[in-house]
Amino acid sequence: MNHSVSNTARLLGAGLRALLVLTLVTGVLYPLAVTGIAQGLFPGKANGSEIRADGKVVGSSLIGQAYDLPLKKGQETPAPDLKWFQGRPQNGLGSNSVNTQYRLILSGATNRSGDNPELIQWVKEAKAAVVKDNSTAGYRVRPSQVPADAVTSSGSGLDPDISPEYAALQVHRVAERNGLSVRQVRELVEAHTEGRTLGFIGEPRVDVLELNIALRDLVGGS
């Protein structure tokens, strides 16, 4: 009986030591090593790909933001602030209802098929709004100019990038609203257009937050 108890105690002791060693290796040493390597080699990505302006973190290059006017009384959906470049539609899974200190939308796709009547109506309304909002006294946007990313959300619903075509479509409106020349704004877009990763992965893109920060700096300096 005593021999059996002794064996059980030894097994428990061995199991406890194994647990402590594995906890130390996988729960402390490995995370510290990975964190240290990431901070040493890729500090920007390790810290969330933060974008700073005026010494403050204003967002991430990985997450899209809305550029809207404050809600007016009786409004359910804010109107876009048309002095800024606009990103893709943010048709996510709903609104943040837990931490209401922040006005967030939840990430996610609409999960509607291409022939869904509601999605078709959204796209029609979005296209009409893009044409109306981006047409100026001297420049008329045609429906055929509106690219797909201007009227559809991404899989996450929070894509930070737009296509160069959508950015170019907004140039005249942004120039007019900010008292800039079309040439100035077009050059700004060209300077913030990224090509395909490694030359063949993905599509050319423009990060809207970075572009709007540069726009603000241009307006402030002009």
Side-chain angles (χ1 to χ4, degrees), residues 118-212:
E118 188 175 25
L119 178 61
I120 292 172
Q121 186 61 31
W122 284 352
V123 170
K124 287 181 178 178
E125 292 174 356
K127 178 175 282 193
V130 168
V131 169
K132 177 178 178 293
D133 290 344
N134 291 284
S135 293
T136 65
Y139 178 76
R140 175 70 182 174
V141 175
R142 300 186 304 276
S144 59
Q145 291 178 269
V146 180
D149 62 301
V151 295
T152 57
S153 61
S154 64
S156 70
L158 299 173
D159 195 330
D161 303 318
I162 57 175
S163 65
E165 292 77 17
Y166 187 26
L169 185 145
Q170 302 182 59
V171 163
H172 287 78
R173 182 255 298 164
V174 170
E176 181 180 77
R177 298 271 176 160
N178 289 283
L180 300 170
S181 71
V182 170
R183 180 185 59 79
Q184 284 177 297
V185 181
R186 185 173 288 130
E187 289 176 351
L188 200 66
V189 170
E190 291 173 355
H192 287 81
T193 299
E194 297 182 47
R196 292 179 172 87
T197 303
L198 300 178
F200 66 94
I201 299 174
E203 295 294 331
R205 60 200 180 278
V206 181
D207 187 291
V208 182
L209 175 56
E210 293 178 350
L211 179 59
N212 278 334

Side-chain angles (χ1 to χ4, degrees), residues 9 18 26 29 51 61 64 107 120 166 200:
T26 62
L29 298 180
I51 295 179
S61 62
S107 175
I120 292 172
Y166 187 26
F200 66 94

Side-chain angles (χ1 to χ4, degrees), residues 1-18:
M1 189 71 171
N2 290 337
H3 182 69
S4 177
V5 171
S6 177
N7 284 339
T8 301
R10 282 198 298 270
L11 289 172
L12 287 174
L16 180 59
R17 286 192 297 273

Side-chain angles (χ1 to χ4, degrees), residues 25 54 72 95 97 101 104-105 127 139 154 160 167 196 203 214:
V25 172
D54 299 328
K72 295 181 180 179
S95 300
S97 59
Q101 177 184 357
L104 307 171
I105 83 164
K127 178 175 282 193
Y139 178 76
S154 64
R196 292 179 172 87
E203 295 294 331

Side-chain angles (χ1 to χ4, degrees), residues 96-104:
N96 169 48
S97 59
V98 179
N99 186 351
T100 54
Q101 177 184 357
Y102 304 100
R103 187 172 67 85
L104 307 171

